Amino acid sequence: MPFFPSLPDDAGIGHLFKIKPGHREGFGKFSDAVMRDDSVFSIAERELIAAFTSALNSCDYCYGGHSAIARQHGVEEGVFESLVDDINMAPVDDKLKPILRFVRKLTLEPYKNNQAAVNAVLSSGCSEKALADVIYLCSLSAMLNRLVFGFG
């Protein structure tokens, strides 16, 4: 149930922009660019990262949406829970594990991010451009989680 009386009981992200319509276009362009523009990460991988970020933030609304889309693109159901429990044991491509460890830190302890954390990802073979994609993706997910929690 949304906190704002003007929002319907079944409010989704789109409803939030009725309160501040000027934010819709910029947010939509940014979201589309992060989630669907060219990237070394597939749609499944991007949705997996978004679902993982939302799970870490305990945002059931966003987790539900992103995990469903990731499953539509081939990610197995049990992957999400295992990622939250133990990235090292999760059934994901090994190339994603350093990235997901970085996402965990950026999500749960962003103030602890440092050069060593970035170097760990870059030394695993991830390019700067790919890591930038991950940072934008994690940040977009965290922002959406805060919107959901803020508006109820």
Side-chain angles (χ1 to χ4, degrees):
M1 179 81 124
F3 299 140
F4 285 48
S6 64
L7 294 172
D9 288 347
D10 64 344
I13 294 295
H15 291 97
L16 307 182
F17 294 107
K18 291 181 180 178
I19 295 169
K20 296 287 287 184
H23 294 344
R24 179 185 291 277
E25 182 180 356
F27 179 82
K29 285 181 180 179
F30 179 67
S31 182
D32 287 345
V34 170
M35 296 305 292
R36 298 297 182 259
D37 272 1
D38 290 335
S39 174
V40 299
F41 300 104
S42 67
I43 291 174
E45 290 168 330
R46 284 182 264 183
E47 294 292 345
L48 173 78
I49 293 167
F52 178 58
T53 302
S54 295
L56 293 172
N57 280 321
S58 300
C59 184
D60 294 337
Y61 177 86
C62 294
Y63 170 78
H66 289 293
S67 62
I69 296 168
R71 285 191 309 274
Q72 290 173 352
H73 288 273
V75 176
E76 297 292 325
E77 175 72 36
V79 169
F80 306 103
E81 292 77 19
S82 64
L83 276 176
V84 172
D85 291 339
D86 185 355
I87 292 170
N88 293 327
M89 298 304 293
V92 296
D93 190 320
D94 283 341
K95 75 173 183 146
L96 286 177
K97 291 180 181 182
I99 291 163
L100 293 166
R101 285 191 286 274
F102 180 86
V103 167
R104 178 185 287 278
K105 179 180 268 190
L106 189 58
T107 300
L108 299 177
E109 303 176 306
Y111 54 91
K112 289 186 178 180
N113 192 38
N114 56 32
Q115 190 66 55
V118 170
N119 289 347
V121 178
L122 295 176
S123 69
S124 75
C126 182
S127 70
E128 287 183 12
K129 185 176 180 180
L131 182 54
D133 284 352
V134 168
I135 293 168
Y136 284 119
L137 179 54
C138 181
S139 300
L140 172 65
S141 297
M143 186 179 101
L144 282 166
N145 299 157
R146 271 61 179 177
L147 284 170
V148 168
F149 289 133
F151 284 99

